[in-house]
């Protein structure tokens, strides 16, 4: 038994998708979430800066006495996690591992598409994890840097989004993949537009949703279950305005989080 | 005579437009530029965070012994400058003032459109400055949050850009403006697409290009001319990767800046 919290972080809001799944699969666990809204996005930055920000985020969560950390950010999971994984005293899981695991499990023709931020695609991290789970897999990758701003501006399924989806996904579609990894926590919000273009036969994998199932395999061996369940079970921290996060976060989680969000100076960690 | 440098900062690269004009109008001045590439963009953040980042940027430039500061970032100029202007011992000029001055000068029908980041439009700063220069002006504003990512991903004049331009500028066009302020240093790169949609009769004002002319009016009264001209006349600092900045910055300035760019930890200022 370990009553300490599970720490989750993302560059912004998107990681709340993972939080929602963890809440649902592990109702007895306490969760502390950090969204680095003052420095989002990570996906366009250099590896060096992504590493620095990832260290800050992990150090903040460690200061909250967590028993494990989930990196819900596709960019930090792929560009930073492989390098820093063993430097801390708590286990750290990323969405890349869980997304690769699920994609390798569901593909039938072993052709998998991977989309993500520029930094995620550049890291090649999905390929490495996929090769561990299924060495017959052939991958087709594409960085989709306009997807995050489209989501953040409410362009979920508009004519603009349709044009951008076509531009980015044409080669992957033509390659005949039967599985597509949405390797950034923002992308599931474009599922409808992506699915219309790729067709019903292509399975879309959202790593943020898979990470909770993945944790279930990990938490039992760690004997890290918790049995605390109270009003203060969930807490949220951000590095920019609380108001924006409360409003949009509530939509992501489908529950009000007003009054539970605090602002921190992440540059101090 | 004052041989100290002119300090210029922007959230990223766009402020180099202003630097280029200052170099051309003031060939004897030394310039130090800071681009906050590790925390770009500013335009989507809260006013509180924009204020904090602006203080950091100004403090860094002051540490370089500058005689004046130009805020080449539309967001920091509009959301932060009016509040902090008098807190420092050197004069600070923003692109908003120079852009408003030029727009008020060129309009014939006194109908001016203003586009910028969400934070810039929210601040209402252009309206305040415009009213100072021409109290008959009627303004029509629109935040265009997708323009920055479009520019950063090379979508200068593509079908996607055309659709987004139509979406954002329709109301301003219908209002019959004869002048449009491109209130963000990225937007001049969309000039061709914007001009095609707005028509040849609408004058596009780029505040980054106007700020140098504006300084000419200010520098003489300040008696702040410099007569230093040497190899090290220009220096550049960034908060993310040097390589990216050297490459893109060279394109902005139309001259190589390799070897002249340094990385700093802006969070220490």
């Amino acid at each position: 038994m370990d009553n300490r919290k599970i720490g989750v972080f993302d560059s912004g809001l998107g990681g709340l998708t993972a939080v929602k799944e963890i809440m649902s699969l592990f109702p007895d666990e306490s969760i502390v979430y950090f969204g680095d809204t003052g420095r989002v996005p990570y996906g366009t930055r250099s590896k060096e800066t992504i590493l620095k920000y990832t260290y800050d985020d992990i150090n903040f969560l460690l200061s909250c006495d967590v028993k494990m950390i989930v990196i819900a950010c596709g960019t930090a999971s792929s560009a930073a996690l492989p390098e820093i994984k063993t430097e801390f005293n708590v286990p750290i899981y990323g969405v890349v591992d869980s997304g690769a695991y699920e994609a390798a499990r569901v593909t039938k023709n072993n052709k998998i598409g991977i989309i993500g931020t520029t930094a995620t695609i550049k890291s090649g991290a999905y390929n490495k994890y996929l090769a561990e789970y299924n060495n017959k897999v052939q991958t087709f990758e594409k960085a989709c840097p306009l997807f995050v701003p489209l989501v953040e501006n409410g362009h979920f399924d508009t004519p603009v989004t349709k044009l951008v989806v076509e531009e980015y996904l044409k080669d992957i579609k033509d390659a005949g993949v039967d599985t597509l990894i949405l390797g950034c926590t923002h992308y599931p919000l474009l599922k409808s537009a992506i699915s219309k273009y790729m067709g019903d036969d292509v399975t879309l994998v959202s790593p943020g949703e898979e990470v909770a199932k993945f944790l279930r395999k990990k938490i039992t061996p760690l004997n890290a279950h918790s049995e605390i369940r109270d009003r203060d079970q969930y807490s949220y921290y951000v590095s920019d305005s609380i108001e924006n996060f409360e409003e949009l976060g509530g939509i992501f989680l489908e529950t009000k989080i007003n009054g539970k969000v605090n602002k921190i100076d992440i540059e101090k960690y």
Side-chain angles (χ1 to χ4, degrees), chain A:
Chain A
M1 183 102 69
D2 186 340
N3 285 330
R4 290 178 301 165
K5 295 170 182 179
I6 296 176
V8 182
F9 79 84
D10 181 33
S11 59
L13 274 159
L16 292 175
T17 320
V19 169
K20 200 177 153 201
E21 298 298 319
I22 298 171
M23 285 171 170
S24 151
L25 280 187
F26 303 94
D28 294 321
E29 297 290 337
S30 298
I31 301 171
V32 52
Y33 181 84
F34 173 63
D36 197 3
T37 51
R39 303 191 297 193
V40 71
Y42 284 8
T44 52
R45 311 212 188 275
S46 67
K47 186 177 172 183
E48 203 181 335
T49 296
I50 296 164
L51 268 171
K52 179 188 179 305
Y53 290 176
T54 302
Y55 275 114
D56 292 347
D57 303 344
I58 290 175
N59 283 329
F60 166 68
L61 289 175
L62 290 176
S63 79
C64 299
D65 193 29
V66 296
K67 63 186 166 192
M68 68 174 67
I69 288 173
V70 176
I71 304 187
C73 171
T75 298
S77 297
S78 49
L81 181 56
E83 270 185 47
I84 63 176
K85 203 162 188 161
T86 54
E87 287 183 34
F88 298 92
N89 286 329
V90 301
I92 305 180
Y93 305 107
V95 284
V96 176
D97 199 355
S98 57
Y101 178 82
E102 179 65 9
R105 196 183 68 78
V106 299
T107 183
K108 292 199 174 66
N109 72 2
N110 288 329
K111 288 184 179 182
I112 296 178
I114 305 162
I115 56 176
T117 65
T118 305
T120 294
I121 296 307
K122 212 169 158 185
S123 76
Y126 272 105
N127 279 316
K128 285 174 221 152
Y129 283 105
L130 278 168
E132 275 181 36
Y133 295 122
N134 178 344
N135 59 16
K136 288 185 204 129
V137 155
Q138 207 188 341
T139 59
F140 304 88
E141 300 172 281
K142 180 78 179 173
C144 304
L146 280 171
F147 278 0
V148 168
L150 284 173
V151 166
E152 289 185 343
N153 291 291
H155 272 268
F156 302 122
D157 198 0
T158 66
V160 171
T161 306
K162 193 168 170 252
L163 265 187
V164 178
V165 163
E166 280 171 23
E167 178 188 326
Y168 285 150
L169 300 186
K170 186 174 184 313
D171 290 348
I172 290 181
K173 186 181 178 180
D174 291 350
V177 304
D178 71 350
T179 306
L180 178 63
I181 298 177
L182 310 180
C184 167
T185 43
H186 278 74
Y187 296 1
L189 293 160
L190 301 177
K191 243 182 183 170
S192 156
I194 292 172
S195 190
K196 268 183 215 160
Y197 180 70
M198 294 300 291
D200 290 341
D201 296 341
V202 175
T203 306
L204 305 183
V205 173
S206 302
E209 291 169 18
E210 300 304 328
V211 76
K213 281 187 248 164
F214 196 73
L215 280 188
R216 188 150 58 182
K217 294 192 307 171
K218 303 283 182 181
I219 284 188
T220 311
L222 281 168
N223 190 23
H225 281 293
S226 163
E227 280 183 356
I228 291 180
R229 201 197 290 207
D230 63 25
R231 283 185 306 145
D232 299 324
Q233 192 179 0
Y234 306 125
S235 49
Y236 307 88
Y237 295 85
V238 289
S239 51
D240 196 353
S241 146
I242 289 173
E243 291 69 28
N244 286 350
F245 188 87
E246 281 182 340
E247 194 187 320
L248 286 166
I251 296 170
F252 263 87
L253 292 169
E254 297 178 52
T255 178
K256 277 217 180 298
I257 56 173
N258 299 47
K260 291 182 186 170
V261 185
N262 297 289
K263 186 175 170 181
I264 57 157
D265 186 352
I266 187 62
E267 295 168 2
K268 291 197 176 134
Y269 291 90

